[in-house]
Amino acid sequence: MNTPKLNVSGLVKKFGDLEVISNIGVTIGEGEFISIVGPSGCGKTTFLRIVAGLEESSGGEVRIDDTVVKGPGIDRGFVFQNDNLLPWRTVLDNALIGPEVSGGSDAAAKSRTMDLLKLVGLEGFEKYFPRQLSGGMRQRVNLARALAIDPKILLMDEPFAALDAQTREIMQTELIRIWEQGRKTVLFVTHQIDEAVFLSDRVLVFARRPGRIREIVEIDLPRPRNLSLKRTPEFAKYVDLIWGMIEEDVRHSVLVEKE
Amino acid sequence: MKGNSLVTSTASIVGGLLIWEVISRFLINNALFLASPSQIVVAIYKLGLSGVLWRHIEISTYEFVLGYVIASALGVLLGLAMAESRTAKSILQPWVSGLYATPTIALGPLFLLWMGIGIWSKVLVVITLVVFPVALNTEVGLLTTSPRLIEMLRSFGASRKQIFFKLSLPSAAPFVLAGLKLGIGRGLIGVVVAELFGSRAGLGQLISQSADAFNMPNLFAAVIILATAGIVMTAGFSWLEKRLVPWTRD
Ligand SMILES: Nc1ncnc2c1ncn2[C@@H]1O[C@H](COP(=O)(O)OP(=O)(O)OP(=O)(O)O)[C@@H](O)[C@H]1O
Ligand SMILES: [Mg+2]
């Protein structure tokens, strides 16, 4: 592994009496792409929000470059499941909100953000409003907005969940392309196991009640990756392996939710 | 579709006016009870020529604008206070909600006693009618700020102040505008009724004076002018809403 970027140790989170996260510990290297999969309600979002500093932990700590996380900061960029764009702002002004809030919204930030919009494939749409964009395009703005603060770590919570299957696949290859160019450290939450395998260096498989890491699967597939990889037997083997790990848990959570 | 509905609406208005004309001319045929549209047009023309009409309109406009502007500013401030401070909310909420539901227009005669027959008793009535819906809408608008958007801003390290100015305020704008729009109709009613209670000039005074003299054409002239003012201002407001808060349309 490269130099450690993010270190989580003994992390616990309780909501009242409910223990949602129990003793999570993991070290993530600089530039690593990590996915998190697990049954619904196992605390993936909560984990990500704690790393983002949006939620306080009940025990343990999160360190970034050996500094304990105490709150949100522009060293981390959050890509939300719902794009959370401000409807009265144009694409460009939405993407610029991070620099603006942290007091760095100058001409340089603007030209950098323009480049980012180009990078995510939105050149020419800078002046559009969110309501004029498709779901896929809105998620691209969401991503560009997180990148605009040039974070060291990208935190992504099911960013493609609301997209149709084709758009999702395209966004996956786009994300890889963008990641290859900057090699940020990425924490990516998803329900799609094939998405996790396709994108990641390692996959954290969470178990539920309470949420914890059940297994860490190293994805030893060559890079750069493209969609044809998804049709190889090696790829299928990883998907099966991970599915086998969470199958019982998922079955259980589906049954519980039905009650 | 759109063009079609415009044609239908126009036809409906023209048809209505025609029926009105026919009824008042041939069925009732008594200028003491009902004036026909053509008589009203003539009345407006004559009142306009003599200059009396402009005097009435000027006074009523002055009272309305003064009351409306004061009430809007006051209402937004009250709404801000109620949304931002728990103490302010506990103190103000019962009064604002209570007075909003009260027909404060009934206090007109009291204001007349306090402030005399001049414009200020009318301005005060307008204020009491307009201020509360504006205050309540502003408060609701500020309080319904999306928690997801708040979290988005927080993730970039935004302060409370930044969240207020970059998020709460713009997302409350449609609510504030809706409150202001509601205020137009209420304010117009306030002006007229307050003038009916006692005044030296104004469209309400024209109405009561015409009623006393059984001058139906003049009475209707004042009503039509008031209706037009209400319709034009409300339409203007809708236009403004489309420009200022276009994202609320979908
Ligand atoms: N603010 C909160 N207060 C109380 N309980 C909460 C809160 N947030 C989350 N929880 C609970 O914590 C558990 C984990 O929630 P979380 O959203 O992290 O799960 P998740 O793994 O992201 O699920 P999903 O895959 O459905 O998004 C759930 O049981 C949820 O009900
Ligand atoms: Mg979640």
Side-chain angles (χ1 to χ4, degrees), chain A residues 44-46 81 157-158 189 191:
Chain A
K44 304 182 292 292
T45 297
T46 306
Q81 174 167 358
D157 192 5
E158 303 190 45
V189 169
H191 272 122

Side-chain angles (χ1 to χ4, degrees), chain A residues 8-28:
Chain A
V8 179
S9 57
L11 195 70
V12 176
K13 177 67 190 176
K14 290 179 182 155
F15 287 112
D17 283 339
L18 182 72
E19 191 174 34
V20 174
I21 283 176
S22 157
N23 195 24
I24 287 185
V26 65
T27 300
I28 290 160

